Amino acid sequence: HARTRTHRSNHNHHNKCILSAMSTEAIPFIKGFRPPSRRHSRAAVDNKWLPAPESIARLADHGEEAGLIGPVPQPSTIDDWLAQYHEPSQTFNAFMNESPWFGQRRQTGVKTRFVPSKDHVPDRYPEGCVCLLPVGELGGGPSVETLRRYTAAFYQGVTVVVLPKVPVVEVEGQLYWDSVSSANRIDHRRHPRASGKGGKGGKQSWVQLEVSSVLGHLRRSVPPNALMVVAVTMYDLYTEPPDLFVAGFASNRVAVFSFTRYRPTISFSCEFWYKVTERKPRKKDAPTILQRSCKLLVHEIGHLFGLGHCVHHTCIMNGSGHLAEDFAQPIFLCPVCLHKVQRLCGFAVPERYAALEDVYTSCGLLEEARGAAQRRKLCANEPASGSNGDNDGDNDGDNDGEMRAKRPAVRRKRTRGNPDNGSQDVASTKTSQPRKRKQRGTEAVGDGSDQNDDDHGAGMDGSDVDTNNSKASGKRLRPAKPQEGLALRERLALANADVPKGL
């Protein structure tokens, strides 16, 4: 199963052209596509046989309220991914049925030891690893060791190694894989170009490697214990002559990706693949290309693990039709895709976010580090920074929710005064209160002018509960009969008079 990277451009489309053409008017989704509802997206997180861990369920239930996830964005240009392609929804259940890494048979081409009874890829292939292979010099690009650290934190539990660099040898205008040989020749195209601002002057050539030729050499270089081999290079790539460029291509267990167009130091033509200008690098350029390269790398490795493009939330697995859309995508997984990767790798979600936070901080990606910390706290049910330590309801776990469900709807009040009786909970005396009030009403003698004072005094000395507290019991007590009526009956009885009918 082959998956192409979505940044395949032609002569009429380019990121700068798209940025200049962006409009505030809403662009419709492609005909027939409807974004999933919240209910559908929540149901896509798990299934009845494999429910999501509690940490992922918290992110799914409260992530949108915390501003950590959002709905899939509306297209802003006609070249956006969902304005061009009808992307199917891959739920967690569909992923488990489609991914070849969970079958009872060994993944095709993998030669390492296989344990089919295990649940996660690191346990099913104990000696297996993801291999990163530098092709040519990576000058001006991200550090391959940093890419390895980030990939290992993103897919925590999977072993990630860096293979020895493969040199690209140039002899008499021809390019060769590792050494000069007719079998090692790399198909490519070359065009002379004027060096851009910041260059050394004179004439230089812009070279693009043909993707299928590189993949053919990769397949012959796969180690026996490799789950997949991912080549990273600063050479530009293409698949067919009409292409402006291709950011990468993944097929089965091998892939190649170019980071050269992800550099903020370059700008290029909308029409000609070889018209590329460069400026002098700045200090802030290194974190930018690292962040963009990390997103590209783990996105494509996700495809090799069986993850499809995400249409449930804003997610690093969203499809992108051009570089501007790619650069705007988040670097984090949504709850649906997070459960897929968690099932693949078997990690504890808060620990994974802690590892990502460390990588981001060490690389100067402070905004990404804050995002990882927020997700870690939410998944671990920790109070957010700046709170007083009490859960405000957004981050409560299942146990807290059960406790809240058992509490009465109205806040309980306690009586004051007598310490023995004042600590008694009103809700626990609701069966005895009406009887006490009735006794007060039948035994009291007087004209009723001091009724309110008596009630207030009873509440203060702890001998009885006031009428405001009686509301907490869930029942409303009837008031005592008027004292005037009792006095009248007594006077009529003493006078041996007949009681008027109806009194």
Side-chain angles (χ1 to χ4, degrees):
H1 181 66
R3 294 180 182 271
T4 58
R5 181 59 178 164
T6 60
H7 301 317
R8 179 177 174 180
S9 306
N10 57 37
H11 290 309
N12 298 321
H13 300 90
H14 177 256
N15 62 321
K16 294 193 70 175
C17 300
I18 291 169
L19 283 170
S20 62
M22 280 188 175
S23 172
T24 56
E25 298 181 1
I27 303 297
F29 292 105
I30 191 171
K31 185 178 180 180
F33 175 80
R34 294 181 62 185
S37 64
R38 290 184 179 180
R39 177 181 173 185
H40 178 81
S41 297
R42 180 61 183 89
V45 175
D46 49 24
N47 59 29
K48 59 183 179 181
W49 297 283
L50 292 173
E54 186 178 342
S55 55
I56 299 178
R58 284 197 200 97
L59 182 63
D61 294 334
H62 306 296
E64 190 166 353
E65 301 172 8
L68 303 180
I69 59 175
V72 61
Q74 184 82 18
S76 58
T77 74
I78 59 174
D79 296 297
D80 283 8
W81 181 254
L82 291 178
Q84 302 182 68
Y85 302 100
H86 191 304
E87 193 73 56
S89 169
Q90 187 193 49
T91 64
F92 174 78
N93 188 56
F95 166 75
M96 293 299 297
N97 293 331
E98 296 170 2
S99 178
W101 297 94
F102 295 108
Q104 291 301 309
R105 296 184 178 181
R106 187 194 310 264
Q107 167 71 305
T108 303
V110 179
K111 300 178 181 179
T112 186
R113 183 164 65 94
F114 177 54
V115 185
S117 61
K118 300 296 184 179
D119 295 329
H120 310 294
V121 170
D123 301 325
R124 293 168 68 86
Y125 301 92
E127 288 86 23
C129 60
V130 173
C131 301
L132 303 183
L133 177 63
V135 176
E137 298 294 334
L138 296 182
S143 165
V144 66
E145 174 59 23
T146 303
L147 293 176
R148 186 204 66 79
R149 288 178 54 215
Y150 177 73
T151 306
F154 194 92
Y155 296 99
Q156 191 179 52
V158 177
T159 303
V160 183
V161 300
V162 178
L163 299 178
K165 181 183 68 175
V166 173
V168 176
V169 182
E170 181 175 356
V171 176
E172 297 179 356
Q174 296 296 325
L175 300 181
Y176 298 92
W177 182 275
D178 191 26
S179 61
V180 178
S181 170
S182 59
N184 293 340
R185 183 176 298 175
I186 303 174
D187 295 335
H188 67 283
R189 61 183 180 183
R190 183 191 304 266
H191 194 283
R193 66 179 180 90
S195 63
K197 184 179 179 181
K200 297 180 180 179
K203 293 287 184 178
Q204 294 181 351
S205 61
W206 188 259
V207 177
Q208 285 188 333
L209 305 184
E210 203 274 322
V211 165
S212 62
S213 178
V214 176
L215 293 180
H217 294 298
L218 274 178
R219 292 189 181 95
R220 294 194 295 267
S221 306
V222 176
N225 64 333
L227 301 177
M228 59 188 70
V229 177
V230 180
V232 293
T233 183
M234 294 303 291
Y235 278 97
D236 209 10
L237 302 174
Y238 79 102
T239 57
E240 297 176 355
D243 290 345
L244 186 66
F245 73 94
V246 173
F249 197 99
S251 176
N252 295 325
R253 296 168 47 242
V254 294
V256 58
F257 306 114
S258 171
F259 301 136
T260 190
R261 302 268 178 168
Y262 283 56
R263 290 181 292 168
T265 59
I266 71 170
S267 59
F268 43 95
S269 169
C270 301
E271 301 179 21
F272 304 104
W273 61 268
Y274 50 84
K275 285 192 174 181
V276 180
T277 58
E278 302 181 46
R279 63 165 173 79
K280 291 182 179 180
R282 301 168 184 166
K283 185 177 181 180
K284 63 180 181 180
D285 292 337
T288 301
I289 187 174
L290 176 62
Q291 191 253 21
R292 295 173 178 178
S293 302
C294 287
K295 289 199 299 183
L296 170 65
L297 182 61
V298 297
H299 177 105
E300 297 303 333
I301 291 178
H303 284 328
L304 293 175
F305 273 131
L307 276 74
H309 284 134
C310 180
V311 296
H312 297 283
H313 300 283
T314 52
C315 178
I316 195 174
M317 293 306 299
N318 293 146
S320 54
H322 50 86
L323 290 183
E325 187 180 18
D326 189 5
F327 296 162
Q329 288 175 352
I331 200 171
F332 297 104
L333 291 166
C334 74
V336 180
C337 297
L338 179 60
H339 191 197
K340 299 173 187 177
V341 175
Q342 191 276 335
R343 186 64 185 177
L344 276 167
C345 305
F347 50 70
V349 176
E351 294 179 4
R352 172 184 177 271
Y353 279 125
L356 287 173
E357 184 181 357
D358 292 340
V359 176
Y360 292 141
T361 303
S362 63
C363 296
L365 302 176
L366 302 184
E367 183 178 353
E368 288 76 8
R370 285 191 294 268
Q374 290 175 331
R375 287 164 174 80
R376 174 181 55 80
K377 292 178 181 179
L378 177 57
C379 292
N381 201 24
E382 297 179 5
S385 58
S387 66
N388 58 1
D390 297 333
N391 291 330
D392 58 358
D394 292 340
N395 300 339
D396 287 340
D398 297 337
N399 295 335
D400 296 334
E402 293 175 1
M403 293 177 63
R404 289 198 305 271
K406 296 177 182 179
R407 296 171 185 164
V410 182
R411 189 178 183 88
R412 297 182 178 185
K413 296 184 179 180
R414 299 183 184 275
T415 57
R416 296 174 295 175
N418 188 351
D420 296 334
N421 200 21
S423 61
Q424 189 176 16
D425 202 327
V426 175
S428 64
T429 62
K430 60 182 179 181
T431 57
S432 61
Q433 287 175 3
R435 184 164 53 253
K436 289 184 178 182
R437 297 290 291 178
K438 184 175 181 180
Q439 291 173 359
R440 282 183 55 195
T442 56
E443 295 175 1
V445 179
D447 59 2
S449 60
D450 297 330
Q451 177 66 30
N452 293 336
D453 294 338
D454 293 341
D455 288 345
H456 179 71
M460 291 298 295
D461 62 9
S463 61
D464 215 336
V465 182
D466 61 13
T467 57
N468 290 333
N469 284 348
S470 66
K471 296 180 181 180
S473 66
K475 295 182 180 180
R476 186 165 181 170
L477 303 181
R478 295 182 179 180
K481 294 181 180 180
Q483 303 297 330
E484 294 85 354
L486 294 175
L488 180 60
R489 286 192 186 94
E490 293 176 355
R491 287 197 297 270
L492 290 175
L494 292 174
N496 295 322
D498 296 332
V499 179
K501 186 176 180 181
L503 183 61

